[in-house]
Amino acid sequence: MTYNPDGRPLIISDCDEVLLFMVEPFKQWLDETQDIAFHLEGNDFSNALRDKATGEPVEQKEIWRLLNGFFDTEMGRQEPIPGAVEALTALMDHADVVILTNLLDERRETRAAQLQAVGIEAKVYTNQGPKGPAIAAILEEYKPSHAIFIDDLAQHHGSAKEEVPHVTRLHLCGEPSLAPHITCGEKAGHAHARIDSWDEALPWIMSRLEEAA
């Protein structure tokens, strides 16, 4: 797909660890209610969850059950990343803004309501797996003059680069306990920049929009 010069710019943003904290409230919930300790070493999420009594890693299928349990009942624990609400509000004056989140489709309305509750009024798209194809579908729907994709995981920037290489890609992880451990999309060659603070990301995004105008 090519850009439409008569269209409006489009921001496609992830949610967890970009707009809302997720790992820390998930960690607190595990500790308080599940007798599971969460300690991330490197970027291996699968070994971060351990049974408090035995110290043994939690099985992969159990991790998925716990994640689903968290999103079923605990999304109210998630608070905004500093500056995220203000940044998206500012960007909406210059571009359309949508949210692309890797949750089951049945949670789309819950996620939209969760974001509305903290002041983010934006259309939500749910996705499972790599995000490149979903971004391509959103571009086809909106036909923007330019698009910027924001996500905290390098693999999604890699998928975007493969499927829609003309999209500007910003790697942003707003969770300080997670950011040092994850693969950097910019260093991997998948993202155009890596910025983990909205105070710095907003002017960078505005500059990209101005350059594309």
Side-chain angles (χ1 to χ4, degrees):
M1 179 215 161
T2 57
Y3 285 136
N4 172 20
D6 296 324
R8 198 163 187 249
L10 177 66
I11 309 293
I12 304 172
S13 178
D14 183 31
C15 181
D16 294 316
E17 313 303 9
V18 175
L19 304 178
L20 301 177
F21 288 112
M22 184 269 162
V23 164
E24 282 301 315
F26 180 55
K27 176 180 177 180
Q28 292 165 5
W29 176 69
L30 291 173
D31 179 62
E32 293 169 7
T33 70
Q34 305 296 313
D35 289 326
I36 300 291
F38 184 104
H39 181 65
L40 187 67
E41 294 182 357
N43 58 5
D44 188 0
F45 192 89
S46 64
N47 279 319
L49 279 68
R50 293 181 177 268
D51 185 284
K52 283 185 180 180
T54 67
E56 292 297 315
V58 174
E59 293 184 4
Q60 189 68 42
K61 64 179 181 181
E62 179 66 3
I63 292 176
W64 282 113
R65 186 192 71 79
L66 291 165
L67 282 168
N68 283 325
F70 177 83
F71 285 116
D72 281 339
T73 64
E74 304 300 320
M75 290 170 73
R77 291 176 179 253
Q78 294 184 260
E79 298 290 337
I81 301 285
V85 175
E86 295 83 357
L88 258 64
T89 300
L91 288 169
M92 287 175 186
D93 290 336
H94 305 276
D96 292 325
V97 176
V98 301
I99 310 304
L100 177 59
T101 183
N102 263 20
L103 287 179
L104 297 175
D105 295 339
E106 65 196 48
R107 296 197 174 98
R108 186 190 66 80
E109 291 185 6
T110 305
R111 172 121 288 177
Q114 176 191 33
L115 288 168
Q116 289 169 5
V118 300
I120 297 174
E121 296 275 351
K123 186 173 182 178
V124 173
Y125 294 83
T126 46
N127 179 70
Q128 298 83 47
K131 290 187 175 179
I135 295 170
I138 293 171
L139 294 179
E140 189 62 34
E141 177 182 347
Y142 277 80
K143 296 179 173 56
S145 60
H146 186 70
I148 298 175
F149 171 58
I150 309 166
D151 202 279
D152 68 312
L153 295 178
Q155 62 261 36
H156 292 314
H157 291 289
S159 177
K161 182 180 179 181
E162 182 177 342
E163 296 285 338
V164 284
H166 55 298
V167 170
T168 300
R169 301 174 298 278
L170 172 62
H171 187 173
L172 188 158
C173 179
E175 172 49 69
S177 69
L178 183 63
H181 302 294
I182 57 177
T183 300
C184 177
E186 182 182 18
K187 291 181 179 178
H190 301 324
H192 293 94
R194 168 75 184 269
I195 306 172
D196 291 336
S197 162
W198 275 106
D199 286 344
E200 298 177 28
L202 178 57
W204 186 92
I205 295 167
M206 291 299 299
S207 294
R208 304 292 84 72
L209 292 176
E210 291 168 4
E211 290 171 2

